[in-house]
């Protein structure tokens, strides 16, 4: 079966799909609000350090495991670990659990983009005065339409995932990523011309380390894992579809570089606007959805910008949701022999229930909290700040200490020896050590 596993057709396909998974709501919605609640500049520096020192080595580790085993996360540990890696397969359990939790709350936010897209088309987004935007947002997220759009997202996601790897995933990503990028750059230039641009840039780029505490560091680490789709086996399963000729280190660096660039551009779009329109940088998950309409409707042809933006954001979210589903779908079909169709149905069924709970946590279930967090916040926190870094730590330990060095070198060929040594050093000591330290300091 492994023999006729499909490959991505082209090198652009490889980059577009991995970047397609990485770039999504994590960059455009989650990064600005995490940076906003955690003080801006200092958060950004710690975030970039996490990407460089932990993120890139862990992407390489996932790539190596995926392509060397040509399996899903369970199969990868089973094939590569000595004696079938019984214990190691539990990392796969983490992967599935994390991806289900993330898909559940992610679908809710992706659903918000449908609402904003439709409102842009209907012209009603502009009809709300800036001062009432918050009320309108709360009314929408507290109502039934928010649940409906979550269901629609999961339906769309099912349809694409059923289309299979090449036709479904690759084609959508190839076209979409470049288009989104051009739009973002245009919006960034527009934001730089706003009167609050200087204060916005100062907030984002001038670090003030006096406000840094362990929650800022854990937040930056979680954001790095979330944004790069790391620690759950996503990059692993995608690498299992790479051709033997794909250069792994270069692809890892390109993915991390582009993903970080998109997050930075999103910051440059949002923060000048936050300071121009008097929004609160620490507003949390609603930040971007409240500020964006003000940006668009100050531009000539606002409805067109806003429609285009939410359409592309919706599509970018879908290239991410499919990569989350792929973790469980590949597991169910490869390890349990389930048909792809059944696997997709089972995964979607579970996420449908959990996603509905997340959607309702802005309305009827808003008073139901665990440790002061609503269901939506809890899923995000547990998956991003605990499960993903933990998964990443175990994957680095595995590749650094257990996997044969020869396999590692062979997959990463033609990377220079010195770089290989540096990567292994990071996977053995730095990445797992830093993650463990951040956990310990936080507790
Ligand atoms: N990285 C994506 C984003 O930034 C989200 C994502 C896609 C993801 N696949 C994932 C997160 C797998 C965790 C695991 O929007």
């Amino acid at each position: 079966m492994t023999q006729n596993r499909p490959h991505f057709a082209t090198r652009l396909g490889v980059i577009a799909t991995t970047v397609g998974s990485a770039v999504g709501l994590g960059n455009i919605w989650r990064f600005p609000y995490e940076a906003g609640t955690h003080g801006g500049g200092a958060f950004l520096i710690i975030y970039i350090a996490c990407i460089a020192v932990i993120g890139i080595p862990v992407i390489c580790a996932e790539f190596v495991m995926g392509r060397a085993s040509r399996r899903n996360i369970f199969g990868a540990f089973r094939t590569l670990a000595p004696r079938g890696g019984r214990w190691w397969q539990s990392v796969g359990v983490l992967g599935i659990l994390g991806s289900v939790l993330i898909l559940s709350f992610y679908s809710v936010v992706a659903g918000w983009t449908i609402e904003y897209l439709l409102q842009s088309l209907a012209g009603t987004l502009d009809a709300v005065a800036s001062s009432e935007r918050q009320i309108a947002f709360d009314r929408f997220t507290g109502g039934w339409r928010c649940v409906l759009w979550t269901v629609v997202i999961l339906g769309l996601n099912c349809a694409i995932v059923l289309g299979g790897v090449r036709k479904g995933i690759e084609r959508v990503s190839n076209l979409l990523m470049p288009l989104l990028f051009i739009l973002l750059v245009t919006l960034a230039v527009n934001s730089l011309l706003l009167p609050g641009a200087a204060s916005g840039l100062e907030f984002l780029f001038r670090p003030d380390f006096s406000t840094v505490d362990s929650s800022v560091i854990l937040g930056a680490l979680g954001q790095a894992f979330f944004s790069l789709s790391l620690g759950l086996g996503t990059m692993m399963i995608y690498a299992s579809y790479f051709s033997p000729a794909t250069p792994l280190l270069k692809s890892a660096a390109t993915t991390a570089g582009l993903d970080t660039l998109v997050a930075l551009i999103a910051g440059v779009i949002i923060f000048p606007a936050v300071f121009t329109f008097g929004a609160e940088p620490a507003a949390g998950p609603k930040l971007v959805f409240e500020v964006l309409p003000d940006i668009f409707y100050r531009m000539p042809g606002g409805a067109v910008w806003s429609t285009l933006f939410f359409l592309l954001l919706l599509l970018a979210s879908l290239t991410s949701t499919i990569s989350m589903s792929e973790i469980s779908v590949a597991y169910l079909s490869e390890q349990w022999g389930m048909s792809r169709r059944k696997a997709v149905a089972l995964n979607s069924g579970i996420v449908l229930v959990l996603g509905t709970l997340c959607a309702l946590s802005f309305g009827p279930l808003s008073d139901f909290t665990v440790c002061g967090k609503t269901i939506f916040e809890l899923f995000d926190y547990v998956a991003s700040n605990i499960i993903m870094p933990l998964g990443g730590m175990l994957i680095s330990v595995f590749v650094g200490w257990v996997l044969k060095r020869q396999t590692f070198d062979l997959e990463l060929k033609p990377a220079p020896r010195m770089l290989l040594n540096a990567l292994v050093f990071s996977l053995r000591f730095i990445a797992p050590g830093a993650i463990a330290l951040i956990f310990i300091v936080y507790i």
Side-chain angles (χ1 to χ4, degrees), residues 21-27 102 106 225-230 232 234 259 320-321 323-324 327 388:
S21 164
V23 172
L25 294 167
N27 308 62
I102 290 183
Y106 202 90
F225 272 86
F226 187 91
S227 196
L228 293 175
S229 317
L230 280 188
L232 307 178
T234 313
D259 184 73
S320 298
T321 58
S323 73
M324 293 170 208
I327 300 178
M388 298 180 80

Side-chain angles (χ1 to χ4, degrees), residues 11 14-15 18-19 56 59-60 63 67 242 245-258 411-416 419 423:
R11 170 119 174 85
V14 167
I15 291 299
T18 49
V19 175
I56 294 184
I59 307 187
C60 289
F63 277 179
R67 195 171 60 183
F242 286 0
T246 305
L248 295 188
L249 184 59
K250 216 163 138 194
S251 306
T254 314
T255 305
L258 287 176
E411 289 298 334
L412 282 167
K413 234 178 25 187
L419 266 180
L423 277 176

